[in-house]
Amino acid sequence: MKNEVKIHEVDPSLNSRRSFLKLSGLTLATTGLILAGCSDNDNDNDMPDNSLPGIRNGVFDLGSGDFGVLTYAYALEQLEADFYTKVVNGSGFNSVFSSVEREVLTDLYHHEVVHRDFFKATLNALLPNPSTQLLPTLAFNYGSLNFNSRTEVLATAKALEDTGVAAYNGAGKLIKTADYLLLAGKIVSVEARHASAIRSLINPNSKDFAGDDIVNMSTGLDDAKDPSKILPIAAGFITTKFTAKYLP
């Protein structure tokens, strides 16, 4: 039996920034643990050892191929979900941000939690031995970041969302299974909306929502970066040690 990954859409005539965020959001049905696009018989046990995530030399490694990318995405979604959880639960959330900003940030929080839980459920369903192969719940440290500062929170959100879009775009070429690539494409479209929304909060009514610092003006495409470029950035927040020796 398989779960379904559903994309909920709202009336496209709604034209506010917040409505724009509502155009896509993943929710998981609760009819089992095998998700859409994940077969019960994928011959996972026949794959080379380094394709599977797990502990190697005492340290968790993300693995390679489809599994490596899914585990990599799970790590990044844990980071984003943790960040927005701290934002919306901050003592100054209601006083520091406007009502529109609170709505947007709360939407982003819900999206990232769903993304995180989606990847966890997917990996739990697919891995031959998830008790030892599933990336552990990560720990994070945001240094001196003041979660009661609008400027600091939005700047960090911008960095995380831009990085997330580049990460998914860069990892897409590593995915071999068409269903996984489709799902990653749906999620990155949500992440791109996040990035645009945050940029619009920082500089309303400007072109920053698709600035040339993240969009290649000759191709019209967002940045794409390999895991080796993304993980050092994420490592500035993630304190749990893990490696990605088999990802480019």
Side-chain angles (χ1 to χ4, degrees), residues 169-203:
N169 287 340
K173 64 189 177 187
L174 305 176
I175 299 175
K176 304 301 182 184
T177 304
D179 287 325
Y180 303 162
L181 185 59
L182 174 63
L183 291 172
K186 291 177 179 179
I187 293 176
V188 74
S189 73
V190 178
E191 298 292 350
R193 290 181 171 93
H194 292 180
S196 291
I198 290 294
R199 285 168 164 262
S200 289
L201 292 182
I202 294 173
N203 193 6

Short mmCIF file of all heavy atoms in Angstrom, two decimals, residues 169-203:
data_model
loop_
_atom_site.label_atom_id
_atom_site.label_comp_id
_atom_site.label_asym_id
_atom_site.label_seq_id
_atom_site.Cartn_x
_atom_site.Cartn_y
_atom_site.Cartn_z
N ASN A 169 18.19 22.61 -6.77
CA ASN A 169 18.53 22.70 -8.18
C ASN A 169 19.83 21.96 -8.50
O ASN A 169 19.95 21.31 -9.54
CB ASN A 169 18.66 24.17 -8.59
CG ASN A 169 17.32 24.87 -8.68
OD1 ASN A 169 16.29 24.22 -8.80
ND2 ASN A 169 17.34 26.19 -8.63
N GLY A 170 20.80 22.07 -7.61
CA GLY A 170 22.08 21.41 -7.84
C GLY A 170 22.03 19.91 -7.66
O GLY A 170 22.79 19.17 -8.30
N ALA A 171 21.11 19.44 -6.80
CA ALA A 171 21.03 18.00 -6.51
C ALA A 171 20.16 17.26 -7.51
O ALA A 171 20.22 16.03 -7.61
CB ALA A 171 20.50 17.78 -5.10
N GLY A 172 19.35 18.00 -8.27
CA GLY A 172 18.44 17.34 -9.19
C GLY A 172 19.12 16.41 -10.17
O GLY A 172 18.62 15.33 -10.48
N LYS A 173 20.29 16.80 -10.65
CA LYS A 173 21.01 15.98 -11.64
C LYS A 173 21.50 14.66 -11.05
O LYS A 173 21.87 13.75 -11.79
CB LYS A 173 22.20 16.76 -12.19
CG LYS A 173 23.25 17.07 -11.13
CD LYS A 173 24.31 18.03 -11.64
CE LYS A 173 25.32 18.37 -10.55
NZ LYS A 173 26.27 19.41 -10.96
N LEU A 174 21.51 14.56 -9.71
CA LEU A 174 21.99 13.34 -9.05
C LEU A 174 20.88 12.31 -8.85
O LEU A 174 21.15 11.17 -8.50
CB LEU A 174 22.59 13.69 -7.68
CG LEU A 174 23.70 14.75 -7.68
CD1 LEU A 174 24.12 15.06 -6.24
CD2 LEU A 174 24.88 14.30 -8.51
N ILE A 175 19.63 12.73 -9.05
CA ILE A 175 18.48 11.85 -8.80
C ILE A 175 18.22 10.99 -10.04
O ILE A 175 18.06 11.51 -11.15
CB ILE A 175 17.24 12.68 -8.45
CG1 ILE A 175 17.49 13.49 -7.18
CG2 ILE A 175 16.02 11.77 -8.26
CD1 ILE A 175 16.35 14.45 -6.83
N LYS A 176 18.15 9.69 -9.85
CA LYS A 176 17.96 8.76 -10.96
C LYS A 176 16.50 8.35 -11.13
O LYS A 176 16.06 8.02 -12.23
CB LYS A 176 18.81 7.50 -10.75
CG LYS A 176 20.30 7.78 -10.56
CD LYS A 176 20.90 8.50 -11.75
CE LYS A 176 22.39 8.71 -11.56
NZ LYS A 176 22.98 9.51 -12.67
N THR A 177 15.74 8.32 -10.05
CA THR A 177 14.36 7.86 -10.09
C THR A 177 13.43 9.03 -10.45
O THR A 177 13.42 10.05 -9.76
CB THR A 177 13.94 7.27 -8.73
OG1 THR A 177 14.86 6.22 -8.38
CG2 THR A 177 12.53 6.71 -8.77
N ALA A 178 12.66 8.85 -11.51
CA ALA A 178 11.84 9.95 -12.03
C ALA A 178 10.84 10.46 -10.99
O ALA A 178 10.60 11.67 -10.89
CB ALA A 178 11.10 9.48 -13.28
N ASP A 179 10.25 9.56 -10.21
CA ASP A 179 9.26 9.99 -9.21
C ASP A 179 9.90 10.88 -8.15
O ASP A 179 9.29 11.84 -7.69
CB ASP A 179 8.61 8.78 -8.54
CG ASP A 179 7.65 8.06 -9.47
OD1 ASP A 179 6.99 8.74 -10.27
OD2 ASP A 179 7.55 6.82 -9.39
N TYR A 180 11.11 10.54 -7.74
CA TYR A 180 11.80 11.37 -6.74
C TYR A 180 12.13 12.74 -7.31
O TYR A 180 12.03 13.76 -6.62
CB TYR A 180 13.10 10.70 -6.27
CG TYR A 180 12.94 9.32 -5.69
CD1 TYR A 180 14.05 8.48 -5.57
CD2 TYR A 180 11.72 8.85 -5.26
CE1 TYR A 180 13.94 7.21 -5.05
CE2 TYR A 180 11.60 7.57 -4.73
CZ TYR A 180 12.70 6.75 -4.64
OH TYR A 180 12.59 5.51 -4.12
N LEU A 181 12.54 12.75 -8.59
CA LEU A 181 12.87 14.02 -9.24
C LEU A 181 11.63 14.91 -9.34
O LEU A 181 11.70 16.12 -9.12
CB LEU A 181 13.45 13.76 -10.62
CG LEU A 181 13.95 14.98 -11.39
CD1 LEU A 181 15.05 15.71 -10.62
CD2 LEU A 181 14.45 14.57 -12.78
N LEU A 182 10.48 14.30 -9.64
CA LEU A 182 9.24 15.05 -9.71
C LEU A 182 8.90 15.68 -8.36
O LEU A 182 8.54 16.86 -8.28
CB LEU A 182 8.10 14.13 -10.17
CG LEU A 182 6.69 14.74 -10.16
CD1 LEU A 182 6.61 15.89 -11.14
CD2 LEU A 182 5.65 13.66 -10.51
N LEU A 183 9.02 14.88 -7.30
CA LEU A 183 8.71 15.40 -5.97
C LEU A 183 9.68 16.50 -5.56
O LEU A 183 9.28 17.51 -4.97
CB LEU A 183 8.74 14.25 -4.95
CG LEU A 183 7.62 13.23 -5.10
CD1 LEU A 183 7.86 12.04 -4.17
CD2 LEU A 183 6.27 13.85 -4.82
N ALA A 184 10.96 16.31 -5.88
CA ALA A 184 11.95 17.35 -5.57
C ALA A 184 11.63 18.63 -6.33
O ALA A 184 11.78 19.74 -5.80
CB ALA A 184 13.36 16.87 -5.91
N GLY A 185 11.16 18.48 -7.57
CA GLY A 185 10.80 19.64 -8.37
C GLY A 185 9.63 20.39 -7.75
O GLY A 185 9.59 21.63 -7.77
N LYS A 186 8.67 19.67 -7.18
CA LYS A 186 7.53 20.32 -6.54
C LYS A 186 7.98 21.06 -5.28
O LYS A 186 7.53 22.18 -5.01
CB LYS A 186 6.47 19.28 -6.20
CG LYS A 186 5.78 18.69 -7.42
CD LYS A 186 4.79 17.61 -7.03
CE LYS A 186 4.08 17.06 -8.26
NZ LYS A 186 3.13 15.97 -7.93
N ILE A 187 8.88 20.43 -4.52
CA ILE A 187 9.34 21.07 -3.29
C ILE A 187 10.18 22.30 -3.59
O ILE A 187 10.04 23.34 -2.94
CB ILE A 187 10.11 20.06 -2.41
CG1 ILE A 187 9.16 18.98 -1.91
CG2 ILE A 187 10.76 20.77 -1.23
CD1 ILE A 187 9.82 17.88 -1.11
N VAL A 188 11.05 22.22 -4.59
CA VAL A 188 11.90 23.38 -4.88
C VAL A 188 11.06 24.55 -5.38
O VAL A 188 11.40 25.72 -5.17
CB VAL A 188 13.02 23.03 -5.88
CG1 VAL A 188 12.50 22.87 -7.29
CG2 VAL A 188 14.11 24.12 -5.85
N SER A 189 9.92 24.26 -6.02
CA SER A 189 9.05 25.36 -6.44
C SER A 189 8.47 26.08 -5.23
O SER A 189 8.29 27.30 -5.25
CB SER A 189 7.93 24.85 -7.35
OG SER A 189 6.95 24.13 -6.63
N VAL A 190 8.20 25.32 -4.17
CA VAL A 190 7.72 25.93 -2.92
C VAL A 190 8.84 26.75 -2.29
O VAL A 190 8.63 27.88 -1.82
CB VAL A 190 7.21 24.85 -1.94
CG1 VAL A 190 6.76 25.49 -0.63
CG2 VAL A 190 6.07 24.07 -2.56
N GLU A 191 10.05 26.19 -2.27
CA GLU A 191 11.19 26.90 -1.68
C GLU A 191 11.47 28.21 -2.43
O GLU A 191 11.84 29.22 -1.82
CB GLU A 191 12.43 26.00 -1.69
CG GLU A 191 12.31 24.72 -0.87
CD GLU A 191 12.24 24.96 0.62
OE1 GLU A 191 12.46 26.10 1.07
OE2 GLU A 191 11.94 24.01 1.36
N ALA A 192 11.29 28.20 -3.75
CA ALA A 192 11.50 29.41 -4.52
C ALA A 192 10.47 30.47 -4.17
O ALA A 192 10.78 31.68 -4.12
CB ALA A 192 11.45 29.10 -6.02
N ARG A 193 9.23 30.04 -3.91
CA ARG A 193 8.21 30.98 -3.45
C ARG A 193 8.59 31.55 -2.09
O ARG A 193 8.39 32.75 -1.83
CB ARG A 193 6.85 30.29 -3.39
CG ARG A 193 6.26 29.96 -4.75
CD ARG A 193 4.89 29.29 -4.61
NE ARG A 193 4.23 29.15 -5.89
CZ ARG A 193 4.29 28.08 -6.67
NH1 ARG A 193 5.00 27.03 -6.27
NH2 ARG A 193 3.65 28.03 -7.82
N HIS A 194 9.12 30.69 -1.23
CA HIS A 194 9.58 31.18 0.08
C HIS A 194 10.62 32.28 -0.09
O HIS A 194 10.55 33.33 0.55
CB HIS A 194 10.20 30.03 0.88
CG HIS A 194 9.24 29.00 1.33
ND1 HIS A 194 9.63 27.90 2.07
CD2 HIS A 194 7.90 28.86 1.17
CE1 HIS A 194 8.57 27.15 2.32
NE2 HIS A 194 7.52 27.71 1.78
N ALA A 195 11.60 31.99 -0.93
CA ALA A 195 12.70 32.95 -1.14
C ALA A 195 12.16 34.28 -1.66
O ALA A 195 12.57 35.35 -1.19
CB ALA A 195 13.72 32.36 -2.12
N SER A 196 11.23 34.22 -2.60
CA SER A 196 10.67 35.45 -3.16
C SER A 196 9.87 36.22 -2.10
O SER A 196 9.94 37.45 -2.03
CB SER A 196 9.76 35.12 -4.35
OG SER A 196 10.51 34.66 -5.45
N ALA A 197 9.12 35.49 -1.29
CA ALA A 197 8.30 36.14 -0.27
C ALA A 197 9.17 36.86 0.76
O ALA A 197 8.88 38.00 1.14
CB ALA A 197 7.41 35.11 0.43
N ILE A 198 10.23 36.19 1.20
CA ILE A 198 11.13 36.81 2.18
C ILE A 198 11.80 38.04 1.58
O ILE A 198 11.90 39.09 2.23
CB ILE A 198 12.19 35.79 2.65
CG1 ILE A 198 11.55 34.71 3.51
CG2 ILE A 198 13.30 36.51 3.44
CD1 ILE A 198 10.97 35.19 4.83
N ARG A 199 12.24 37.94 0.35
CA ARG A 199 12.90 39.08 -0.29
C ARG A 199 11.93 40.26 -0.45
O ARG A 199 12.32 41.42 -0.34
CB ARG A 199 13.44 38.65 -1.66
CG ARG A 199 14.71 37.81 -1.55
CD ARG A 199 15.08 37.14 -2.87
NE ARG A 199 16.47 36.69 -2.80
CZ ARG A 199 17.50 37.37 -3.30
NH1 ARG A 199 17.30 38.51 -3.92
NH2 ARG A 199 18.72 36.91 -3.18
N SER A 200 10.65 39.96 -0.68
CA SER A 200 9.67 41.02 -0.80
C SER A 200 9.37 41.67 0.55
O SER A 200 9.06 42.86 0.62
CB SER A 200 8.37 40.47 -1.41
OG SER A 200 8.55 40.15 -2.77
N LEU A 201 9.45 40.88 1.63
CA LEU A 201 9.27 41.46 2.97
C LEU A 201 10.42 42.42 3.29
O LEU A 201 10.22 43.47 3.90
CB LEU A 201 9.19 40.36 4.03
CG LEU A 201 7.97 39.45 4.02
CD1 LEU A 201 8.04 38.46 5.18
CD2 LEU A 201 6.67 40.24 4.07
N ILE A 202 11.62 42.03 2.88
CA ILE A 202 12.79 42.86 3.16
C ILE A 202 12.77 44.15 2.35
O ILE A 202 13.07 45.23 2.86
CB ILE A 202 14.09 42.07 2.87
CG1 ILE A 202 14.22 40.90 3.86
CG2 ILE A 202 15.31 42.98 2.95
CD1 ILE A 202 15.38 39.95 3.54
N ASN A 203 12.41 44.04 1.08
CA ASN A 203 12.40 45.21 0.19
C ASN A 203 11.13 45.20 -0.66
O ASN A 203 11.14 44.77 -1.81
CB ASN A 203 13.64 45.21 -0.70
CG ASN A 203 13.85 46.54 -1.40
OD1 ASN A 203 13.13 47.52 -1.16
ND2 ASN A 203 14.82 46.58 -2.30
#
